[in-house]
């Protein structure tokens, strides 16, 4: 087999040697272990509390079943959040950049829809051009 046939059309290898690991295996195992514990604790606590309250209004067996179902559902939600937290944490740390990017895109779209082209270009030129042209303004903006 020739070397060129082992590569995809885009130049990277088809073999698994160049994979990028987002979450290391020990970290994933640790979070999974915590998530299982949190699931059972949530199932027990929420299940007992919900069964107690529901039994006051419904038949005790129906209240107990409702408590178990509610505890299992909320336990599953807690499990999913804990397992996904290493990935969600990345989004949390990137939140200012994500919000700034969304604000720029939606701000530009709103500006283009609500003003004529010459007005939009004038506003963008002032917002971008003034800090870029005036050194005492540019330095703090670039430092920020």
């Amino acid at each position: 087999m020739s070397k060129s046939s082992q590569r995809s059309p885009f130049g990277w290898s088809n073999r698994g040697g160049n994979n990028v690991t987002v979450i290391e295996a020990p970290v994933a195992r640790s979070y999974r272990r915590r998530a299982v514990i949190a699931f059972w604790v949530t199932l027990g606590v929420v299940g007992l509390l919900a069964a107690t309250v529901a039994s006051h209004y419904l038949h005790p067996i129906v209240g107990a079943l409702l408590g178990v179902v509610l505890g299992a559902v909320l336990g599953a939600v807690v499990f999913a959040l804990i397992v996904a937290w290493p990935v969600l944490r990345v989004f949390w740390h990137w939140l200012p950049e994500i919000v700034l990017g969304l604000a720029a895109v939606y701000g530009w779209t709103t500006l283009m829809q609500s003003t004529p082209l010459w007005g939009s270009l004038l506003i963008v030129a002032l917002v971008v051009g003034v800090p870029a042209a005036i050194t005492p303004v540019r330095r703090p903006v670039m430092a920020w």
Side-chain angles (χ1 to χ4, degrees):
M1 184 177 244
S2 70
K3 187 171 179 126
S4 63
S5 65
Q6 295 176 356
R7 296 203 174 269
S8 73
F10 301 109
W12 55 76
S13 173
N14 288 331
R15 291 189 260 169
N18 295 333
N19 291 341
V20 176
T21 302
V22 176
I23 303 171
E24 298 292 331
V27 173
R29 277 194 304 272
S30 171
Y31 275 93
R32 183 169 170 79
R33 191 175 321 117
R34 290 178 188 173
V36 168
I37 293 169
F39 170 79
W40 288 110
V41 169
T42 305
L43 173 67
V45 171
V46 171
L48 285 174
L49 290 173
T52 303
V53 172
S55 293
H56 181 70
Y57 297 103
L58 303 170
H59 190 275
I61 294 174
V62 175
L65 290 174
L66 184 63
V68 169
V69 169
L70 188 60
V73 167
L74 290 178
V77 169
V78 168
F79 178 88
L81 286 174
I82 292 174
V83 168
W85 179 246
V87 176
L88 294 175
R89 188 175 54 198
V90 172
F91 287 108
W92 178 254
H93 288 295
W94 287 352
L95 190 60
E97 290 86 357
I98 292 170
V99 169
L100 187 63
L102 288 173
V105 168
Y106 285 112
W108 174 257
T109 304
T110 304
L111 180 68
M112 290 301 292
Q113 290 176 352
S114 61
T115 60
L117 179 61
W118 64 268
S120 299
L121 293 177
L122 181 66
I123 292 170
V124 170
L126 289 174
V127 169
V128 175
V130 169
I134 302 171
T135 304
V137 176
R138 182 178 61 237
R139 286 190 180 136
V141 168
M142 292 303 290
W144 181 69

